[in-house]
């Protein structure tokens, strides 16, 4: 599947407007029929990075934002590698979280909220081989894991 070109804007406000227009006005349906809701408040979580390890996200990331249109493409990609998500607080796999890996190292995470319903959590470029390796060691996602 071909992925869209990078989104390039001059300001954070333009990226935010694009996100709200493309994602927050309508549901996005995944290739397997899950309706994903996007919330305006997720913009900062998804498109910001922390400048210091283990700190709050404090800096807008044009690297993350430029791949904004890949989120929709990843959700619609039947060839995506799908895994069960990891709950950091409880230190266990969480079957309500689905992790999609596409284009080698691009990650999209959704959280199932009901039958064939989900909320977008985040998307990012895996910044290290160890991050990608941890994800790829997770259990594979399959249809019977849906809520």
């Amino acid at each position: 599947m071909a992925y869209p070109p990078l989104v390039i804007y001059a300001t954070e406000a333009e990226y935010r407007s694009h996100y709200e227009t493309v994602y927050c006005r309508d549901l996005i349906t995944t290739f397997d029929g899950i309706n994903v809701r996007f919330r305006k408040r997720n913009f900062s979580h998804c498109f910001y990075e922390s400048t210091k390890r283990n700190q709050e996200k404090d800096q807008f990331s044009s690297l993350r934002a430029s791949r904004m249109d890949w989120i929709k493409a990843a959700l619609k990609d039947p060839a995506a590698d799908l895994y069960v998500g990891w709950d950091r607080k409880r230190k266990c796999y969480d079957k309500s979280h689905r992790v999609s890996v596409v284009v080698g190292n691009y990650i999209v995470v959704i959280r199932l909220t009901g039958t064939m319903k989900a909320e977008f959590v985040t998307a990012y470029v895996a910044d290290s081989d160890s991050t990608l390796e941890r994800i790829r060691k997770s259990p594979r996602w399959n249809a019977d894991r849906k809520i």
Side-chain angles (χ1 to χ4, degrees):
M1 176 174 179
Y3 273 69
L6 299 179
V7 175
I8 306 296
Y9 289 119
T11 67
E12 177 186 337
E14 291 172 296
Y15 284 105
R16 184 178 297 273
S17 176
H18 183 93
Y19 172 77
E20 291 177 6
T21 300
V22 173
Y23 292 102
C24 298
R25 293 192 179 156
D26 291 315
L27 296 172
I28 303 292
T29 302
T30 65
F31 72 92
D32 56 348
I34 299 170
N35 292 312
V36 182
R37 176 178 301 282
F38 289 76
R39 306 243 185 233
K40 290 179 182 180
R41 68 177 179 251
N42 287 40
F43 181 87
S44 294
H45 178 70
C46 186
F47 303 113
Y48 271 68
E49 296 176 313
S50 41
T51 54
K52 297 178 183 158
R53 187 150 178 84
N54 298 322
Q55 296 289 325
E56 290 292 317
K57 294 181 177 186
D58 60 352
Q59 182 176 351
F60 178 72
S61 170
S62 56
L63 172 73
R64 285 181 167 214
S66 68
R67 287 160 177 77
M68 188 179 301
D69 286 348
W70 289 14
I71 297 167
K72 184 176 184 179
L75 293 173
K76 293 186 170 292
D77 188 348
D81 292 332
L82 305 177
Y83 300 91
V84 175
W86 177 257
D87 185 323
R88 279 189 222 180
K89 291 178 185 172
R90 296 184 313 158
K91 298 192 183 321
C92 63
Y93 292 105
D94 182 347
K95 294 179 183 177
S96 71
H97 284 71
R98 178 164 101 173
V99 178
S100 301
V101 179
V102 297
V103 192
N105 67 344
Y106 191 67
I107 313 299
V108 177
V109 181
I110 60 173
R111 181 179 61 85
L112 278 80
T113 58
T115 304
M116 305 306 281
K117 293 179 185 177
E119 285 192 354
F120 170 72
V121 175
T122 195
Y124 59 95
V125 175
D127 57 357
S128 71
D129 290 339
S130 63
T131 299
L132 202 52
E133 185 177 317
R134 269 191 313 250
I135 291 169
R136 292 199 182 278
K137 286 183 178 178
S138 301
R140 286 284 189 163
W141 175 272
N142 59 43
D144 67 339
R145 290 202 165 98
K146 294 177 190 172
I147 292 176

